């Protein structure tokens, strides 16, 4: 039996790890354990429930207004006894959250081999996204096995001198998740009707502009500038702006204050994954600073305007399905109006981020991997032996 412990903490980690967790659960010879840090609470629990995932361990760390130091220290301290008890053959972390970074560090300190899913993404700017760019650099440095979603991510890792034998290009599991959810919705007209009926306030015939925002570097003035653009877009008279709000008060409160009660702007609670995918299928244009949504949208043929100055996901920009528009009001307005006034036919296309088989590739490679010997930490240190200074 190969024991694999996965640690996740936020909504996107739950959605993107679900395909792999479900595959591992069904795989003979694998004992898959799930630890959630609870960096997110409601948003994480909803996503786990939708995929039928139940945590074996829950650190329950979320505090209102938590800061990065709290998340890091609480995850490190909370994981120590769990890693000592379980001693997994592999510790799996995903992406660039502070949960992923602190969990990888806890695993490194414990001398465990770490596998990083969604390795190698780089904006090459430590301030944007903050702190995610540093988190992913640090996790990649500690990982023995790096699952890069794209060739570009693999090249980033090679440039940092990661040995090529440690890197596997798999596609992004976000594509597995969105294709599976789209399949479920298309195969189940009753589900599709329920999801449509849940948003009766959207006038039929008007096109949907779907918006999400949550990045720390967009708080404050950039956020207000984006909201100005949304107000002007809603005033066009032929669109519905649909904006499911992230639960972070730093986003929620200004959004309610600047956009609340405005006709044709719909501020919603965070949506479940089925509801959100359904809305994405219905959208004419997506305005977002999310990472995961940039990866999902091409599978549904949706144009994305990325509300950021830089992206670590350049593939869709190169393919022409996403555009970096930043946070300037005039630029967002011009780009959105252009897409609305001259719509290209929407068609599902080859997604540059993956083909829906990423979880299968990751599982196959984990099965081959010779565990234990591949931890990057020296055995003496992880056993708690004091190393001589210098
Ligand atoms: C985190 C990740 C970010 C990821 C995002 C996905 C870090 C540093 N940031 O950012 O990379 O893109 O999740 O959404 O790891 N809150 C709730 N309930 C919830 C979730 C959040 O009330 O279920 C509120 C809490 O007040 C919390 C705040 O949101 O303090 C911020 O949550 P946090 O996880 O610290 O940061 P995110 O902006 O969500
Ligand atoms: N998502 C969701 N409900 C929402 C908004 C987003 O299920 O109301 C999903 C979305 O489809 C994607 C993920 O959450 O899979 C993205 O999460 P988020 O934008 O919070 O984080 P990021 O991807 O930027 O880390």
């Amino acid at each position: 039996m190969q024991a694999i412990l996965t640690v996740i903490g936020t909504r996107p980690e739950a959605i993107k790890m679900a395909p792999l967790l479900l595959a591992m659960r069904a795989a003979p010879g694998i004992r898959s354990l799930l630890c959630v840090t609870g960096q997110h609470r409601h948003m994480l629990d909803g996503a786990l429930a939708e995929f039928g995932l139940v945590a074996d361990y829950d650190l329950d760390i979320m505090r209102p207004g938590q800061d990065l130091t709290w998340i890091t220290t609480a995850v490190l301290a909370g994981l120590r006894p769990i890693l000592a008890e379980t001693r997994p053959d592999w510790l799996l972390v995903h992406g660039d959250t502070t949960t992923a970074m602190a969990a990888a560090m806890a695993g490194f300190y414990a001398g465990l081999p770490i596998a990083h899913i969604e390795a190698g993404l780089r904006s090459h700017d430590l301030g944007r996204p903050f702190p995610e760019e540093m988190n992913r650099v640090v996790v990649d440095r500690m990982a023995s096995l790096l699952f890069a979603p794209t060739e570009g991510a693999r090249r980033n890792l090679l440039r940092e001198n990661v040995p090529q034998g440690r890197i596997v290009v798999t596609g992004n599991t976000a594509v597995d998740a969105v294709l599976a959810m789209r399949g479920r919705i298309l195969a189940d007209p009753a589900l599709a009707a329920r999801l449509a009926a849940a948003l009766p306030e959207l006038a039929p015939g008007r096109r949907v502009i779907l918006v999400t925002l949550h990045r720390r570097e967009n708080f404050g003035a950039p956020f207000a500038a984006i909201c100005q653009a949304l107000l002007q877009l809603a005033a066009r008279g032929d669109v519905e702006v649909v904006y499911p709000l992230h639960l972070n008060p730093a986003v929620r409160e200004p959004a309610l204050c600047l956009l609340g009660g405005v006709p044709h702007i719909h501020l919603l609670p965070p949506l479940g994954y089925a509801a959100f995918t359904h809305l994405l299928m219905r959208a004419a244009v997506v305005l977002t600073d999310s990472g995961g949504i940039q990866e999902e949208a091409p599978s549904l043929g949706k144009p994305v305007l990325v509300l950021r100055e830089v992206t670590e996901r350049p593939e869709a920009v190169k393919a022409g399905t996403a555009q970096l528009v930043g946070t300037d009001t005039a630029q967002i307005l011009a780009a959105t109006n252009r897409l609305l006034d001259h719509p290209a036919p929407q068609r599902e296309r080859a997604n540059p981020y993956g083909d829906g088989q990423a979880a299968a590739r990751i599982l196959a490679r984990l099965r081959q991997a010779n565990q234990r010997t591949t931890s990057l930490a020296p055995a003496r240190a992880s056993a708690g032996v004091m190393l001589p200074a210098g």
Side-chain angles (χ1 to χ4, degrees), residues 59 75 99 226 302 363 390:
L59 306 185
V75 171
T99 279
I226 295 167
K302 302 299 170 180
L363 180 56

Side-chain angles (χ1 to χ4, degrees), residues 250-281:
V251 175
R252 230 181 105 68
E253 284 163 16
L256 289 168
C257 170
L258 294 168
L259 304 173
V262 175
H264 305 297
I265 296 188
H266 307 274
L267 302 179
L268 307 177
L271 297 177
Y273 191 52
F276 189 79
T277 305
H278 186 254
L279 203 48
L280 201 49
M281 290 163 73

Side-chain angles (χ1 to χ4, degrees), residues 188-208:
D188 185 348
L191 171 64
R194 264 202 316 281
L195 295 171
L199 292 175
E201 62 272 37
L202 299 190
R206 282 171 184 263
R207 285 172 297 170
V208 167

